[in-house]
Amino acid sequence: MEDIVELLEKRSANYASRPTLNLFDLLYDNKMTGFLHYGPTLKKHRRLMDEALNKDVLPSYHHIFIEKVHILLDQFLRQPDLFREHIGEIGASITMSIAYGYDVAPGVKDRFVEPAEFAINTGLDLAIPGRTLLSVFGFLCYIPPWIPGASTQRLCADVREAAMLTREAPYQYVKQKMVMSS
């Protein structure tokens, strides 16, 4: 027990970080919480998330959960064959509603959700070991996307742009909404 406490509590800074993957740096530029290394920035992100999502705050979101689940159930009745799509939509819809006060219309390609889905799905696909030479030979991540044959680098640049749009576009939406309401 003493060894566990020593490793997990006293030396946690040594073991709490994520592995360094050049491919993730190329895809997401280290600004997304899930890819941050242990340190002050990650601690700040975690503190902000804990403030917004702790057990005392969650009941204030119940009306959102109920509304979105009713929409989900209606979608199941109308189009049961699109079960997976509906499940994906409710996650995005709840997240966007809580984080930005933005309603995602069900069954419609959304300007905020579509780039996020592209960035996540393509990034996960590229991260599969052996899927691309970039994950095997990290130095290839430094080849510019304009070089002939660097199609993966071009795809990574598209993912990076979609990830940036995923962060910035909803934020700009909230700023614009705040200006309009004041």
Side-chain angles (χ1 to χ4, degrees), residues 33-172:
T33 304
F35 300 110
L36 289 173
H37 294 286
Y38 188 79
T41 306
L42 178 61
K43 286 181 182 180
K44 181 179 175 183
H45 281 225
R46 289 169 69 180
R47 183 176 36 79
L48 291 170
M49 288 182 133
D50 184 57
E51 288 174 12
L53 300 172
N54 71 49
K55 65 181 172 101
D56 297 328
V57 176
L58 283 178
S60 67
Y61 303 135
H62 275 130
H63 68 283
I64 295 171
F65 300 145
I66 290 169
E67 175 191 342
K68 302 302 179 185
V69 168
H70 285 170
I71 292 170
L72 175 69
L73 294 174
D74 183 59
Q75 288 177 303
F76 284 162
L77 288 173
R78 292 177 191 272
Q79 298 174 309
D81 54 320
L82 298 177
F83 176 83
R84 288 185 187 268
E85 289 82 356
H86 300 323
I87 294 296
E89 282 179 5
I90 191 172
S93 184
I94 289 171
T95 301
M96 294 299 289
S97 186
I98 290 173
Y100 303 105
Y102 176 79
D103 281 325
V104 175
V108 178
K109 293 200 181 272
D110 188 85
R111 63 185 171 135
F112 297 143
V113 176
E114 201 169 5
E117 287 177 346
F118 170 74
I120 291 167
N121 293 336
T122 307
L124 288 173
D125 187 49
L126 288 170
I128 294 172
R131 176 71 63 163
T132 175
L133 289 176
L134 299 180
S135 61
V136 178
F137 302 108
F139 67 89
L140 292 175
C141 291
Y142 300 104
I143 293 175
W146 50 265
I147 290 193
S151 58
T152 305
Q153 283 85 340
R154 286 189 285 283
L155 181 59
C156 288
D158 292 343
V159 169
R160 186 182 185 110
E161 184 178 329
M164 188 273 305
L165 186 64
T166 298
R167 270 192 327 268
E168 293 299 320
Y171 173 71
Q172 295 302 326

Side-chain angles (χ1 to χ4, degrees), residues 5-46:
V5 169
E6 177 73 24
L7 289 174
L8 298 179
E9 290 183 14
K10 295 181 181 174
R11 297 189 204 174
S12 65
N14 297 339
Y15 308 109
S17 197
R18 288 150 178 83
T20 300
L21 297 171
N22 292 341
L23 182 63
F24 286 151
D25 292 344
L26 189 63
L27 290 170
Y28 302 115
D29 72 6
N30 283 333
K31 292 185 181 172
M32 298 179 84
T33 304
F35 300 110
L36 289 173
H37 294 286
Y38 188 79
T41 306
L42 178 61
K43 286 181 182 180
K44 181 179 175 183
H45 281 225
R46 289 169 69 180

